[in-house]
Amino acid sequence: HDLFGWHRRIARGFGQRDHSWGVRDMRVPTNWRWFSGQFGDELCFNATKVEVLGLRASGGYVYHGGKVAALTGWSYEAQMTAPRQGPKRVSLVLECGPGRRFELRGAARSNIPVIALTGGSAAVVNEAYTQFMWGDKTGHGVSEFMEQLA
């Protein structure tokens, strides 16, 4: 018996969130860039670049046309508010195969800097709520920049 119809209200949705288990040693990553955004059921994306112990990794996905595809490459440019204070504007190019290229622009609407202290070192994670544009469509998501401070 369904008094409130909750399953009809929450059955559809797009989005992504990460989760860390345990204590995170913020001295290990040098930096990371993470972008995630949604344009309703038409387009969703996630793109990450991280540098750890001198090694660089990049990855992500695009959901478009009812299908999920791994990124084969991606790049970004950012206009920073100030050094280590998060992005003001970003542009992204996401590629996931021949003829599948998505160009997006974003403007940070709010930014929350978090300072993480670990063993005498400090890192800042700037998590910015970002309004993205894809052609004439507007979407919303996150632009996250992590940097070592000391």
Side-chain angles (χ1 to χ4, degrees), residues 57 99 112 117:
I112 299 173
L117 302 174

Side-chain angles (χ1 to χ4, degrees), residues 55 99 120 137:
L55 303 172
K137 295 175 175 51

Side-chain angles (χ1 to χ4, degrees), residues 6 12-13 16 20-21 25 28 30-31 41-42 46 51-52 75 86 88 92 95 97 111 118 121 128 137:
W6 66 269
R12 290 180 46 100
Q16 183 274 321
S20 296
W21 295 95
D25 187 340
V28 177
T30 305
N31 63 65
D41 60 1
E42 196 170 350
N46 184 315
E51 184 175 332
V52 177
S75 61
K88 183 176 184 176
L92 302 170
E95 298 176 18
N111 181 56
T118 308
S121 295
K137 295 175 175 51

Side-chain angles (χ1 to χ4, degrees), residues 69-83:
L71 292 178
T72 56
W74 72 275
S75 61
Y76 77 95
E77 290 183 13
Q79 177 187 2
M80 303 302 282
T81 304

Side-chain angles (χ1 to χ4, degrees), residues 24-45:
R24 187 183 277 187
D25 187 340
M26 294 300 285
R27 294 172 294 187
V28 177
T30 305
N31 63 65
W32 71 64
R33 304 293 183 258
W34 173 55
F35 301 94
S36 176
Q38 298 80 38
F39 291 83
D41 60 1
E42 196 170 350
L43 175 73
C44 300
F45 66 91

Side-chain angles (χ1 to χ4, degrees), residues 17-141:
R17 188 67 200 139
D18 68 338
H19 183 81
S20 296
W21 295 95
V23 176
R24 187 183 277 187
D25 187 340
M26 294 300 285
R27 294 172 294 187
V28 177
T30 305
N31 63 65
W32 71 64
R33 304 293 183 258
W34 173 55
F35 301 94
S36 176
Q38 298 80 38
F39 291 83
D41 60 1
E42 196 170 350
L43 175 73
C44 300
F45 66 91
N46 184 315
T48 305
K49 291 183 186 272
V50 63
E51 184 175 332
V52 177
L53 303 173
L55 303 172
R56 293 186 179 126
S58 178
Y61 67 86
V62 168
Y63 171 88
H64 181 255
K67 296 179 181 175
V68 176
L71 292 178
T72 56
W74 72 275
S75 61
Y76 77 95
E77 290 183 13
Q79 177 187 2
M80 303 302 282
T81 304
R84 298 182 176 145
Q85 291 188 10
K88 183 176 184 176
R89 291 185 180 18
V90 297
S91 60
L92 302 170
V93 176
L94 309 175
E95 298 176 18
C96 50
R100 299 211 50 201
R101 178 182 168 104
F102 301 88
E103 296 183 17
L104 304 117
R105 297 178 326 279
R109 297 298 181 212
S110 65
N111 181 56
I112 299 173
V114 177
I115 304 294
L117 302 174
T118 308
S121 295
V124 62
V125 179
N126 284 286
E127 181 110 10
Y129 161 65
T130 304
Q131 183 177 38
F132 288 102
M133 297 298 296
W134 172 48
D136 63 351
K137 295 175 175 51
T138 301
H140 303 276

